[in-house]
Amino acid sequence: MAAEHQINAGFIPLFDSAVLVAAREIGFAAREGVDLTLSRETSWANIRDRIAIGHFDLAHMLGPMPIACNLGLTPLASDTIVPFSLGLGGNCVTVSNTLWTGMAAHGALPDLDPARAGKALGVLIRERANAGREPMRFAVVHPHSGHNYELRYWLAACGIDPSREIEIVIVPPPFMADALAAGRIDGYCVGEPWNSASVVAGTGHIATVKAAIWKTSPEKVVGVRKAWAEKHPEALSALLRALHHSARWCQDPANRGELAALMAQPSFLGVSPALLMPILTGHLALGGVAELSVEDFFLPFGKAANFPWKSHALWFYTQMVRWGQVKHSAAHMALARDTYRPDLYRAALKPLGVALPGANAKVEGALTAATPVGSAGASLVLGPDGFFDGRIFDPDRIDDYLAIRDWAMPTG
């Protein structure tokens, strides 16, 4: 029998596309009457452009990218909405072995502590500047990415000005490890498996992780062409249900081996299944003989990992303002907030009786422990969700947040 809904989607070869991939390959999409066609792309710019010109109905996207599209910050932008998050966490900051040796000499330890690693990096950056050498070069995947913002947030909190004291360049995710090995960059922030790839190759060391900079923080989403969503509401709802079931399956430890084998295939990541176990288990080889297990390193499901929180959208928006990508205004803030669509998520999943947050936004960074919260359907636990510098983000007090001038952590 022919599928009721035909959907074309794009993805980047990163593990956090797993929920989208498994929806097709394990059969969750087909069970909801969706014929999901997936197309692999090498860069986020390609994803953005192919959404804009209608090649894709939706795509695996960077969390801030649909907001940037709606704010007119990118060429070929089209109105894009976010009805589903593909997970929390999953990124690392990886540095060259030479840089790590220097950081270790100034107190950095293989413990992923952002404050200690950042302090050591700051000493090296200033030593290099005082010697008249070129600034260090770090790579991120896109200007409007969680990677760019979390890297900058980390550095600024550690007293480093990312706009002046280092150079930040754009490199597609699959090329990060090669760029580091070739000496073109000193470090990078990217999703897995491209951090572990440098560690396995013996060319890099993981200095810190997204899950330590901001616990249970947003990363990739499903970005949907707004015009398509409005024309095909039933198809979108069917897909969201399929993604929900897929995310639950991806989170189950019993499926790790099958999921790693699936994502390792040449049509998806094209790597060894063993290289994908760190993101599934949270047990990371950091470089050398160092290893560490990270709680909630990557969550494809649980703790409302799939809910499109408007507070996540607004935090991304504040970073765009903070780093000079857009001017702050009530209109811009509303565009950012309304890009994320929890109403569509709730409408699609309510018939399943699953946990649905009672609010559309929350204070980010306020939970120091796992905390039960109000929800419809099943019970829901959130957090911990703290920022490493102890700050919180209240989406109702954005002007106050943007008024902060000294972002460095207190010393002593």
Side-chain angles (χ1 to χ4, degrees):
M1 186 176 74
E4 186 178 354
H5 309 293
Q6 305 284 329
I7 299 178
N8 294 316
F11 74 98
I12 292 287
L14 286 158
F15 191 88
D16 53 25
S17 66
V19 171
L20 201 54
V21 171
R24 172 182 165 78
E25 298 298 314
I26 305 299
F28 300 109
R31 287 173 214 167
E32 296 292 337
V34 174
D35 181 5
L36 180 61
T37 300
L38 297 178
S39 298
R40 171 175 156 159
E41 287 292 341
T42 57
S43 76
W44 293 113
N46 285 3
I47 290 282
R48 175 201 66 210
D49 294 348
R50 294 193 69 184
I51 279 271
I53 62 180
H55 287 180
F56 299 147
D57 305 313
L58 52 92
H60 169 225
M61 275 193 171
L62 300 156
M65 184 183 283
I67 300 168
C69 290
N70 293 345
L71 289 171
L73 303 183
T74 59
L76 292 179
S78 63
D79 287 347
T80 308
I81 60 172
V82 175
F84 194 93
S85 167
L86 290 169
L88 305 172
N91 295 347
C92 306
V93 178
T94 298
V95 299
S96 69
N97 288 337
T98 299
L99 180 50
W100 176 253
T101 298
M103 290 170 63
H106 288 290
L109 297 175
D111 59 2
L112 303 178
D113 178 28
R116 189 167 16 241
K119 182 178 179 181
L121 179 59
V123 174
L124 287 177
I125 286 172
R126 283 166 201 123
E127 284 183 353
R128 189 158 168 161
N130 291 336
R133 298 173 60 197
E134 291 184 353
M136 292 181 191
R137 180 180 294 151
F138 279 75
V140 297
V141 304
H142 192 273
H144 308 119
S145 67
H147 315 73
N148 186 27
Y149 303 139
E150 69 210 35
L151 177 69
R152 288 173 178 268
Y153 189 98
W154 169 54
L155 294 173
C158 294
I160 301 164
D161 186 339
S163 296
R164 291 186 173 89
E165 294 189 272
I166 66 165
E167 181 185 2
I168 297 180
V169 298
I170 307 302
V171 175
F175 302 157
M176 289 284 196
D178 290 342
L180 189 74
R184 304 299 299 169
I185 55 177
D186 298 290
Y188 58 81
C189 183
V190 77
E192 280 286 82
W194 307 117
N195 301 281
S196 292
S198 282
V199 173
V200 169
T203 56
H205 188 105
I206 297 175
T208 191
V209 295
K210 184 183 184 81
I213 295 170
W214 177 11
K215 297 180 187 298
T216 56
S217 54
E219 188 43 46
K220 304 304 188 307
V221 299
V222 174
V224 184
R225 277 196 300 121
K226 186 177 182 181
W228 181 87
E230 291 176 345
K231 188 176 181 179
H232 303 281
E234 292 183 3
L236 179 58
S237 289
L239 179 70
L240 297 184
R241 289 191 294 272
L243 293 175
H244 165 80
H245 293 304
S246 177
R248 186 189 293 271
W249 183 88
C250 288
Q251 184 75 35
D252 188 341
N255 298 324
R256 285 173 180 168
E258 185 177 354
L259 180 56
L262 168 63
M263 295 301 293
Q265 293 179 19
S267 53
F268 301 118
L269 297 183
V271 298
S272 162
L275 195 62
L276 303 179
M277 294 315 292
I279 192 169
L280 283 168
T281 64
H283 187 76
L284 305 179
L286 307 182
V289 297
E291 298 182 6
L292 199 67
S293 290
V294 181
E295 185 177 3
D296 293 341
F297 175 68
F298 172 64
L299 291 174
F301 187 81
K303 298 189 175 181
N306 307 127
F307 191 74
W309 292 100
K310 287 182 178 288
S311 45
H312 287 170
L314 288 168
W315 187 84
F316 286 138
Y317 166 72
T318 63
Q319 301 310 293
M320 294 175 181
V321 174
R322 180 181 176 186
W323 302 113
Q325 293 176 335
V326 70
K327 290 191 179 298
H328 178 42
S329 71
H332 286 162
M333 186 169 64
L335 274 172
R337 181 189 63 232
D338 295 342
T339 297
Y340 278 41
R341 296 291 302 275
D343 58 316
L344 296 178
Y345 179 94
R346 286 196 185 93
L349 298 186
K350 186 176 180 179
L352 302 183
V354 300
L356 297 172
N360 289 332
K362 57 190 173 76
V363 176
E364 302 291 342
L367 299 178
T368 57
T371 305
V373 298
S375 65
S379 60
L380 178 63
V381 173
L382 299 179
D385 66 354
F387 293 88
F388 83 100
D389 59 356
R391 295 188 187 275
I392 63 170
F393 171 70
D394 185 340
D396 291 330
R397 301 184 64 183
I398 283 181
D399 287 344
D400 292 342
Y401 193 76
L402 291 173
I404 297 172
R405 288 293 171 259
D406 183 7
W407 285 87
M409 295 177 68
T411 57

